[in-house]
Amino acid sequence: MKTKVALVTGGLSSEAQISYKSAKNVFTALDKNSYDVYMIDIHPTGWWYENEGGEEVAIDKSDFSII
């Protein structure tokens, strides 16, 4: 069983672009055979996860579950 890892990226400040670059580097470095990696994007319209089909799915901020 793989360990689940969430990479939270983005944000509401001018530093968001740096966050995206950092998350991309971490994503690339993680062993995908050992980890299921979930990229969570924080932007003005909410917190979002992009599923395998490219669809953005909302994140419930109270418990970090994918809605």
Side-chain angles (χ1 to χ4, degrees):
M1 181 174 191
K2 294 182 187 179
T3 300
K4 294 179 181 177
V5 175
L7 294 178
V8 180
T9 188
L12 305 178
S13 75
S14 61
E15 301 292 321
Q17 293 305 315
I18 294 169
S19 176
Y20 290 127
K21 289 179 184 179
S22 297
K24 184 177 179 180
N25 288 334
V26 172
F27 180 85
T28 301
L30 285 171
D31 178 3
K32 306 310 181 295
N33 293 314
S34 299
Y35 301 100
D36 284 327
V37 183
Y38 296 85
M39 296 287 288
I40 308 301
D41 185 9
I42 298 174
H43 51 85
T45 61
W47 292 21
W48 303 95
Y49 163 71
E50 186 174 324
N51 66 21
E52 293 174 3
E55 178 184 24
E56 286 188 333
V57 182
I59 300 296
D60 182 341
K61 293 185 275 185
S62 68
D63 65 2
F64 297 100
S65 62
I66 296 172
I67 299 171

